[in-house]
Amino acid sequence: MPTAPLHTLDDGTALPALGLGTYPMDDAEAERAVAQAVAHGYRLVDSAANYRNEAGVGRGVLAAGVPREEIVVTTKLPGRDHGYEQTLRSFEQSRKRLGLDYVDLYLIHWPLPRVDAYVDSWRAMVKLREEGAVRSIGVSNFTAEHIDRLERETGVLPSVNQIEMHPLFPQAELRAALAAKGIAVESWSPLGRGSDLLEDRAVRAVARAHERTPAQVVLRWHVQSGAVPLPKSADPGRQRDNLAVFDFTLDEREMASIASHTPHRLGGDPRHHEEF
């Protein structure tokens, strides 16, 4: 089965150019969806402690029949566990639920600036990487200012920042700041969940021109924007379609038309959003 091309992160590890999102699947659905997706060629799977599906994701990875080292498994630290010792304990709980010896990519889910403990959590994640329990470490929903503080106070940059990104909220300024620091971008809600993005006239026109689905051209927009999209689907056909976006190219006019909207968030603002 075809697989996504690979990006090389700043720590030398490989990150597939497209992955499977699993929110809001439960354990049973995640187990089926992950095993099925791996069979279709997916090699990046995204979970989180707060998705409450780590056990299912882990079972799906182990049931897939693909060598463990070929699959990049991601999970995330919940806000209730911010702090140095709390992060170390939370990671062990996640690893136990996953049933895996190590985690490929561990992220701080949200910065929670009011709690103001994300720097201490980051120091704990650096320790986990140094010990080999985690291959790569990163953040999710961090602003450029949050990342500057991590660098200033610890000297260690995240390898990845997973952010809300889609043509309704392209995040061009943040992506440029991350690129300048060598930080890879993953996009959650890449298809604009809950919006009418896939019904957009410009998106549908581009899809017709390429004989593709609207979802495929939006995912291709992400790929050409340099981001790693994480579309969620448990449907076998859609999983296959979502991965089949590496054999065509959008031109500059098409890229611009897909993202020709007044930018607006669909999710929380990291400057004050709280997730526990």
Side-chain angles (χ1 to χ4, degrees), residues 10-254:
D10 64 353
D11 59 11
T13 64
L15 183 73
L18 186 147
L20 178 74
T22 63
Y23 178 79
M25 300 178 189
D26 61 18
D27 279 324
E29 186 179 18
E31 180 177 356
R32 292 191 299 270
V34 168
Q36 177 179 271
V38 173
H40 293 324
Y42 285 75
R43 294 296 182 266
L44 170 61
V45 180
D46 184 79
S47 183
N50 270 354
Y51 296 174
R52 301 183 185 278
N53 63 16
E54 289 172 309
V57 167
R59 290 196 298 266
V61 167
L62 295 176
V66 168
R68 167 70 183 92
E69 62 271 16
E70 293 185 13
I71 304 174
V72 176
V73 179
T74 306
T75 195
K76 308 182 190 76
L77 174 76
R80 62 184 173 275
D81 292 332
H82 277 209
Y84 188 86
E85 295 297 337
Q86 298 94 314
T87 296
L88 298 178
R89 287 195 297 269
S90 187
F91 171 76
E92 289 304 330
Q93 292 165 0
S94 283
R95 178 160 60 170
K96 183 177 180 180
R97 286 189 293 267
L98 285 163
L100 303 175
D101 293 334
Y102 63 91
V103 170
D104 299 273
L105 178 60
Y106 195 40
L107 309 178
I108 301 176
H109 205 156
W110 288 86
L112 275 68
R114 183 183 65 82
V115 175
D116 194 25
Y118 65 85
V119 176
D120 289 334
S121 288
W122 185 244
R123 291 190 175 100
M125 294 174 74
V126 172
K127 173 181 172 65
L128 289 168
R129 185 177 66 178
E130 290 172 347
E131 292 176 344
V134 175
R135 299 292 172 87
S136 298
I137 53 176
V139 295
S140 182
N141 301 299
F142 273 46
T143 66
E145 291 74 21
H146 295 143
I147 289 173
D148 286 344
R149 183 179 174 195
L150 291 183
E151 183 179 25
R152 186 171 62 250
E153 296 191 22
T154 74
V156 180
L157 282 168
S159 294
V160 170
N161 190 10
Q162 185 181 126
I163 58 176
E164 179 186 349
M165 177 181 161
H166 41 73
L168 302 175
F169 195 56
Q171 296 264 46
E173 184 176 346
L174 177 56
R175 286 191 286 117
L178 296 172
K181 292 181 179 294
I183 300 170
V185 173
E186 291 185 328
S187 41
W188 62 259
S189 197
L191 300 177
R193 183 176 65 244
S195 73
D196 59 358
L197 174 62
L198 299 186
E199 302 300 321
D200 180 78
R201 181 180 302 177
V203 170
R204 296 185 75 84
V206 175
R208 286 194 299 272
H210 289 271
E211 298 183 335
R212 300 284 175 148
T213 69
Q216 285 176 315
V217 298
V218 171
L219 293 173
R220 183 66 199 180
W221 174 88
H222 283 271
V223 169
Q224 289 185 216
S225 297
V228 174
L230 302 168
K232 174 261 178 185
S233 181
D235 178 83
R238 284 197 293 272
Q239 285 184 350
R240 285 192 292 266
D241 285 349
N242 288 346
L243 192 58
V245 297
F246 298 100
D247 59 349
F248 71 102
T249 302
L250 306 177
D251 62 29
E252 291 184 9
R253 179 188 59 81
E254 291 170 327

